[in-house]
Amino acid sequence: MHPGSYSVEVIVENKPLARDPEGETIHHNLIVKGGYPQVTKVRAGKLLRLSIDADSPDHARQLVKKLCDDLRIYNPAAHVCTVRIVG
Amino acid sequence: MAKVAVVRYPGSNCDLDALEVLQKVVKTKTELVWHNDLQQDNYDAYVLPGGFSYGDYLRAGAIAARSPSLKIIREAADNHKRVLGICNGFQILVEAGLLPGAVLRNSGLRFIDTWTRLRVETNRTPFTSSAKKGAILRIPIAHNEGRYYSDTEDLVKLEKNEQIVLRYVNEENEPTLDANPNGSLDNIAGICNLEGNVMGLMPHPERASIPLMSPDGQEYGRVIFDSMLSTVKDRGEN
């Protein structure tokens, strides 16, 4: 157990089958046209960074996962949600 | 007479238009209700108007969907009452899980404000019962997040259960790519729940319910409100 404050990131992005026009535009019109053709794909999403007081990194991650589901931080019909400890 | 609530959230901005049409055109008793003041299911029908509730933060409709008012609206829907979500109201109903799927950012990444042609795909809902199946309605849209999305499995269910209520169509009344303003799956402009008593649509029927406001002098939007209220009366729920 390592009680303390943890920094947790939540990344919400469209499911692979849901088109992501923002990512496509950044990819084609900025990155590829800007001289980086080796980049084959870009997906845009939303990042939330939360500071959590918890007993351990695992508890911090579990709490954030639960709140993402409870409060529908993402729409499971269209999005995938990744939760990760960053500090 | 049926009593309707237009539920106002911080950032709603089509609430007064809906109120005006319901009171003065459709001529039914309608009250504007601040979302936190909606504490009991005292109405026959609920309209969630367009706008930008909570600044569209997180996702359009996502924060309003957690408002306590949605508990009352969910209860009303469970009691077979009418719930109509227009534009941001549609997004709220989707985010609250009262309607399936998601409403994503327009494929063109731009806010679109234009008149559309809509085909009535079913008249089994209380919101289209006064229209003929296949009828064409000219109603405007105004949104940045209107791209309806669901996974393939859910889309098959929507089709099978006649939950797709309106589609964007071209001059030949076909749901072509050109007629699709925002990249919606299968040109979907409006859907309903399984029972049919909860409907959401991106177009604004309240902006097409007075002849003076329509380019062709029609009032196509009225059929949505007229149907909604005529079915309430039919059921003797005054």
Side-chain angles (χ1 to χ4, degrees):
Chain A
M1 303 289 261
H2 301 283
S5 179
Y6 294 94
S7 185
V8 182
E9 282 182 353
V10 176
I11 299 164
V12 179
E13 57 188 309
N14 285 3
K15 282 181 174 175
L17 282 177
R19 274 193 60 201
D20 167 30
E22 185 174 357
E24 289 169 18
T25 305
I26 294 167
H27 179 225
H28 294 303
N29 295 295
L30 183 62
I31 295 179
V32 173
K33 283 188 184 168
Y36 295 88
Q38 56 274 60
V39 177
T40 57
K41 194 174 185 180
V42 175
R43 297 290 279 183
K46 184 163 281 215
L47 172 76
L48 308 179
R49 188 174 296 123
L50 289 69
S51 300
I52 310 283
D53 291 329
D55 294 340
S56 68
D58 256 5
H59 283 171
R61 184 167 42 230
Q62 280 165 18
L63 181 81
V64 174
K65 276 191 170 168
K66 183 173 182 304
L67 81 83
C68 286
D69 290 337
D70 282 353
L71 304 178
R72 232 163 105 142
I73 293 290
Y74 67 107
N75 181 338
H79 303 127
V80 286
C81 179
T82 311
V83 175
R84 63 185 189 195
I85 304 279
V86 292
Chain B
M1 184 187 281
K3 193 163 79 166
V4 183
V6 174
V7 188
R8 177 186 243 179
Y9 296 87
S12 297
N13 66 6
C14 303
D15 43 347
L16 296 179
D17 303 42
L19 183 73
E20 179 95 357
V21 164
L22 284 159
Q23 284 181 339
K24 295 187 183 165
V25 179
V26 184
K27 297 192 190 326
T28 196
K29 192 173 179 194
T30 308
E31 291 174 6
L32 194 59
V33 185
W34 180 246
H35 69 122
N36 280 338
D37 295 335
L38 185 66
Q39 297 186 354
Q40 275 189 311
D41 176 20
N42 286 335
Y43 298 88
D44 300 301
Y46 294 83
V47 174
L48 277 61
F52 300 86
S53 58
Y54 294 92
D56 278 354
Y57 294 150
L58 187 61
R59 264 189 321 284
I63 298 180
R66 303 295 125 195
S67 151
S69 65
L70 260 296
K71 279 189 187 157
I72 306 295
I73 292 167
R74 194 185 303 274
E75 188 185 309
D78 289 345
N79 288 328
H80 317 292
K81 292 189 176 175
R82 314 296 182 233
V83 178
L84 176 65
I86 300 168
C87 196
N88 188 226
F90 180 20
Q91 294 160 339
I92 294 170
L93 291 175
V94 164
E95 289 296 335
L98 280 162
L99 290 172
V103 188
L104 306 177
R105 196 167 176 201
N106 296 342
S107 55
L109 301 178
R110 282 176 186 273
F111 185 95
I112 310 169
D113 183 358
T114 188
W115 284 79
T116 60
R117 286 170 66 84
L118 305 167
R119 190 174 70 193
V120 176
E121 302 293 87
T122 174
N123 59 1
R124 77 165 186 99
T125 80
F127 305 94
T128 50
S129 56
S130 302
K132 284 188 181 152
K133 186 174 175 179
I136 300 299
L137 310 177
R138 289 201 66 206
I139 300 180
I141 54 167
H143 59 246
N144 192 49
E145 285 88 10
R147 175 166 56 111
Y148 184 76
Y149 176 81
S150 78
D151 60 30
T152 315
E153 208 174 297
D154 283 343
L155 181 66
V156 170
K157 278 189 207 158
L158 285 175
E159 187 80 73
K160 185 175 155 229
N161 298 327
E162 272 192 84
Q163 287 175 258
I164 299 168
V165 184
L166 298 168
R167 277 198 170 93
Y168 301 107
V169 294
N170 65 7
E171 293 293 325
E172 283 75 46
N173 306 335
E174 293 301 323
T176 56
L177 198 61
D178 285 350
N180 189 339
N182 51 26
S184 280
L185 198 66
D186 259 19
N187 285 43
I188 290 173
I191 59 165
C192 65
N193 64 347
L194 198 55
E195 182 182 330
N197 65 318
V198 178
M199 179 184 169
L201 75 169
M202 286 314 296
H204 285 268
E206 79 282 11
R207 296 187 187 179
S209 292
I210 299 171
L212 191 64
M213 291 170 67
S214 299
D216 47 9
Q218 299 295 316
E219 44 184 17
Y220 290 112
R222 270 194 71 165
V223 75
I224 306 280
F225 300 111
D226 284 340
S227 301
M228 176 177 91
L229 293 166
S230 69
T231 53
V232 169
K233 284 169 196 157
D234 286 347
R235 290 161 54 94
E237 286 178 359
N238 303 336

